[in-house]
Amino acid sequence: MIRRLAAAALPLFLLAACADDQSPTRPAGFWFTAPRNDEIRLEALDRARAVDPCALVPRAELEKIAPIRSVENDDRDSCEAELGSAEANKGIELDWAVVFATVQEGAKSAKTTIAGTDVLLAGDKDNIPEDQFAKLVQRNCTATAQFPAGAALMLFVTTPLGTEPCDLGEKVLGTAIAEFLKEPARGTSPDTAATVLDATADPCDVLPQLGVTVNAADRRMRTCDFTYKGDEISLRYEYDERDTIPGHDGPPLDLGGSYPVYRDVSGDDPDDFHFYTAVIGPEINPATADPTFGPRVPTVSVTGKNDEVLTEVLRRTLTLFP
């Protein structure tokens, strides 16, 4: 979800490296205190990763909005729910995620405070031309909550015409803020999947094996970007829809391990990016799999330009998993 949510929200908000916020009006507590050093910053990142995303908006709260059609843990740090009517454009969809970045205002938005937390609400009506707004078949709003410790919550709301999605967004985000401050552990929600990625949640865990370091301020929830042997590497832990994995339609590579690995290249130029993706666990919620793209699977993927470097990084990373 967060890929789709981020794409939808991009005109509205920008994500940047975490910045310190020393506002004297903040409530007390870990999440309302800006990190004083890298050790605390990394602690905040680890604690954010450990939060159960689907538990941030419990089913009991969703039921108060409309009957639940589905709740799905679509990535390690995100969840989505479909509520109300199944008729096209008549239902409600909520997509939310925990991120670790500073959300910077990039559009017309209403600013408010919920439980001492800065909140931005950016609705479609205020951010697209009037003629385009008149052609909408649904309403939408992007809502964010920023914690000084570095974590943020992002929520994308889709509602039928005749509704005000930001009103619902503010209400749901208030629930998510209250639950996030309790730090519900993974497994709190029955809708959150348990996968092999839970064993090693930090994609930068392989760096000591490579003799590489990354600044604490540059680390993210499920991505680790670094330079190794002259190649710019992006290492990711994700839940990918099976048929969207680059190279999935070809035979898997044999890298000497127990996981199938797929390779793809973005083009024919020698300077194009190469993609290696290992599927490291069984399908997640196969009964509700997308009919077009297939079920989600936990993956470890690396992107760069040097095949030898990429295969080494991937091999070493896969040794971290049982």
Side-chain angles (χ1 to χ4, degrees):
M1 179 278 298
I2 189 60
R3 286 180 288 260
R4 186 175 71 80
L5 187 155
L10 197 55
L12 309 182
F13 300 108
L14 302 174
L15 296 180
C18 298
D20 292 346
D21 184 340
Q22 302 293 345
S23 172
T25 62
R26 298 291 181 194
F30 180 83
W31 292 108
F32 294 101
T33 304
R36 298 186 304 275
N37 53 47
D38 286 349
E39 182 179 0
I40 297 175
R41 189 182 298 274
L42 292 177
E43 178 188 353
L45 181 53
D46 286 341
R47 287 170 65 164
R49 283 197 192 100
V51 168
D52 185 324
C54 293
L56 298 183
V57 190
R59 279 181 171 257
E61 296 300 319
L62 294 172
E63 285 282 8
K64 295 177 183 178
I65 302 170
I68 297 173
R69 300 199 332 262
S70 67
V71 180
E72 185 177 357
N73 177 206
D74 57 338
D75 221 317
R76 272 196 50 81
D77 45 29
S78 62
C79 199
E80 61 182 17
E82 295 180 328
L83 312 175
S85 175
E87 185 180 347
N89 305 321
K90 299 298 184 181
I92 296 171
E93 184 171 344
L94 303 173
D95 302 283
W96 64 92
V98 181
V99 298
F100 202 81
T102 298
V103 181
Q104 298 179 336
E105 185 179 357
K108 294 180 181 178
S109 54
K111 300 178 182 180
T112 188
T113 302
I114 300 176
T117 308
D118 288 340
V119 168
L120 294 174
L121 301 165
D124 48 14
K125 189 173 184 178
D126 296 326
N127 286 285
I128 62 175
E130 191 172 322
D131 59 332
Q132 292 183 26
F133 179 77
K135 297 176 182 178
L136 293 178
V137 297
Q138 288 178 302
R139 298 292 310 278
N140 65 75
C141 178
T142 303
T144 64
Q146 181 74 63
F147 299 98
L153 303 179
M154 295 190 71
L155 169 69
F156 190 71
V157 180
T158 301
T159 61
L161 294 179
T163 62
E164 289 300 329
C166 284
D167 290 348
L168 179 58
E170 184 174 2
K171 177 182 176 181
V172 173
L173 195 60
T175 296
I177 290 169
E179 295 300 323
F180 178 81
L181 294 176
K182 301 174 187 176
E183 298 185 45
R186 301 192 72 86
T188 300
S189 169
D191 297 305
T192 297
T195 75
V196 68
L197 286 177
D198 296 341
T200 305
D202 185 352
C204 286
D205 279 348
V206 73
L207 296 186
Q209 292 191 40
L210 303 173
V212 175
T213 59
V214 173
N215 292 333
D218 296 328
R219 296 195 180 199
R220 295 291 177 264
M221 292 285 284
R222 48 186 164 88
T223 304
C224 188
D225 298 323
F226 57 94
T227 301
Y228 183 59
K229 294 185 176 179
D231 201 4
E232 299 294 328
I233 305 295
S234 182
L235 171 62
R236 298 176 301 282
Y237 291 178
E238 295 180 305
Y239 299 163
D240 283 316
E241 289 169 317
R242 184 190 59 209
D243 296 342
T244 65
I245 294 173
H248 75 277
D249 51 352
L253 302 178
D254 180 8
L255 295 188
S258 57
Y259 303 110
V261 176
Y262 299 91
R263 177 185 180 273
D264 197 19
V265 182
S266 60
D268 297 326
D269 193 292
D271 205 36
D272 286 331
F273 285 101
H274 296 194
F275 307 91
Y276 285 77
T277 305
V279 176
I280 62 170
E283 298 171 351
I284 301 168
N285 300 325
T288 58
D290 186 290
T292 301
F293 301 116
R296 297 182 187 277
V297 289
T299 63
V300 172
S301 61
V302 290
T303 303
K305 298 181 180 180
N306 185 308
D307 284 313
E308 184 177 344
V309 171
L310 290 172
T311 54
E312 179 187 352
V313 170
L314 186 56
R315 280 197 186 102
R316 288 179 179 270
T317 303
L318 293 179
T319 64
L320 300 175
F321 296 93

